[in-house]
Amino acid sequence: MLQVTDLVVAYGSIEAVHGVSFEVGQGECVALIGPNGAGKSTTLKAVCGLVPIKGGDVRFEGRSLRSLPGHEIAHLGISMCPEGRQVFGEMSVLENLRMGAYSRRRAGGWQSDLDEMLGLFPRLRERIGQKAGTLSGGEQEMVAIARALMARPRLCILDEPSLGLAPKIVDEVEQILLAIKARGVTMLLVEQTVSMALRVADRGYVLEAGTVRLEGDSPSLRGNPEISNAYLGH
Ligand SMILES: Nc1ncnc2c1ncn2[C@@H]1O[C@H](COP(=O)(O)OP(=O)(O)OP(=O)(O)O)[C@@H](O)[C@H]1O
Ligand SMILES: [Mg+2]
């Protein structure tokens, strides 16, 4: 479904991603893991058209996204739940979720999707009229995930959904990710909680300093001593 080939991304004269290749198949959940500054968010932004691609290519269902603007990429069915959540703080939970539905090709049916999202996130149902900026971190993450899903994405990209959340809430996020996966949504997941990422994802790639260092299915990455020493030692 998604093929990233020799991707190069630079900020001005500084290259952050130096030829990254990976792919995500239909219905798969693929994790990108790696230390701070490895280029994970930059890679996701390049897929979504939020930073220019300097070299290589990103193909979605065979079509190159290289020269497409972000809103056209969203219309193709790629939706992003960004790092740091970025909910619209002055808008209510309901308004945030409606915003998510805007990138859909057909506007209809958003109310039934809203009901589905509120079933998946009962806590948001209780807070539907509350300003998103006044929600707790975990609740804001739920808004960000639900907003991304309101676009009915074919590919849902999530950048560190568990960042800054208490362990109990991280467990809740894990359950939510598993529920989304069970609905057949194709997912590309960046996570610093590597143990969680490798429980949710089918396969993973380890990015270090802008290149892919390792790749494999989740059980083999979990069993790899380099991974367990660097990322699972807690
Ligand atoms: N807007 C920007 N301008 C200049 N450099 C940037 C910009 N965004 C990211 N970088 C640099 O690109 C590199 C990769 O950053 P990126 O945010 O992709 O890392 P990351 O793997 O997502 O890290 P983290 O785990 O901390 O979120 C870093 O060296 C960072 O300083
Ligand atoms: Mg990041």
Side-chain angles (χ1 to χ4, degrees):
M1 181 179 243
L2 181 76
Q3 270 125 11
V4 174
T5 316
D6 301 324
L7 176 70
V8 178
V9 183
Y11 295 105
S13 59
I14 299 175
E15 209 175 278
V17 171
H18 320 292
V20 161
S21 299
F22 66 93
E23 56 182 39
V24 185
Q26 170 100 41
E28 258 194 322
C29 175
V30 169
L32 297 183
I33 59 181
N36 294 123
K40 305 181 298 296
S41 296
T42 301
T43 300
L44 299 188
K45 286 178 188 161
V47 171
C48 297
L50 302 175
V51 293
I53 294 172
K54 185 178 173 195
D57 203 2
V58 174
R59 300 184 84 80
F60 182 62
E61 300 188 315
R63 174 175 182 179
S64 174
L65 306 184
R66 252 196 96 144
S67 49
L68 289 186
H71 66 272
E72 282 186 30
I73 293 175
H75 277 298
L76 293 177
I78 298 181
S79 131
M80 164 89 121
C81 178
E83 189 172 25
R85 293 154 200 137
Q86 298 177 27
V87 298
F88 304 109
E90 288 300 313
M91 291 186 181
S92 69
V93 169
L94 177 64
E95 288 163 337
N96 269 272
L97 299 186
R98 282 197 71 166
M99 291 297 285
Y102 279 152
S103 69
R104 282 153 56 153
R105 221 180 277 259
R106 280 173 294 114
W110 73 272
Q111 266 153 327
S112 62
D113 287 1
L114 177 68
D115 273 344
E116 197 183 335
M117 284 306 123
L118 297 179
L120 190 58
F121 301 94
R123 231 193 275 201
L124 297 186
R125 190 187 290 279
E126 294 162 20
R127 293 170 174 78
I128 192 79
Q130 190 172 329
K131 274 190 186 177
T134 65
L135 297 170
S136 74
E139 289 161 357
Q140 290 192 23
E141 187 59 52
M142 290 173 196
V143 171
I145 295 173
R147 184 181 60 188
L149 291 173
M150 284 296 287
R152 283 213 196 166
R154 324 259 302 284
L155 171 66
C156 186
I157 298 182
L158 299 116
D159 195 352
E160 308 222 21
S162 81
L163 187 70
L165 302 180
K168 192 170 148 280
I169 312 294
V170 175
D171 291 343
E172 266 182 53
V173 169
E174 176 172 346
Q175 294 312 313
I176 289 165
L177 297 179
L178 288 168
I180 297 169
K181 188 181 170 188
R183 284 162 191 238
V185 178
T186 306
M187 289 158 78
L188 175 59
L189 171 67
V190 163
E191 255 300 334
Q192 296 247 325
T193 312
V194 172
S195 52
M196 189 263 259
L198 295 180
R199 281 194 299 273
V200 175
D202 304 299
R203 297 189 296 113
Y205 295 81
V206 181
L207 248 63
E208 276 180 26
T211 58
V212 174
R213 274 244 16 239
L214 273 172
E215 61 178 277
D217 58 27
S218 297
S220 74
L221 288 178
R222 273 200 301 267
N224 182 317
E226 274 186 70
I227 304 279
S228 45
N229 291 338
Y231 301 107
L232 303 175
H234 51 80

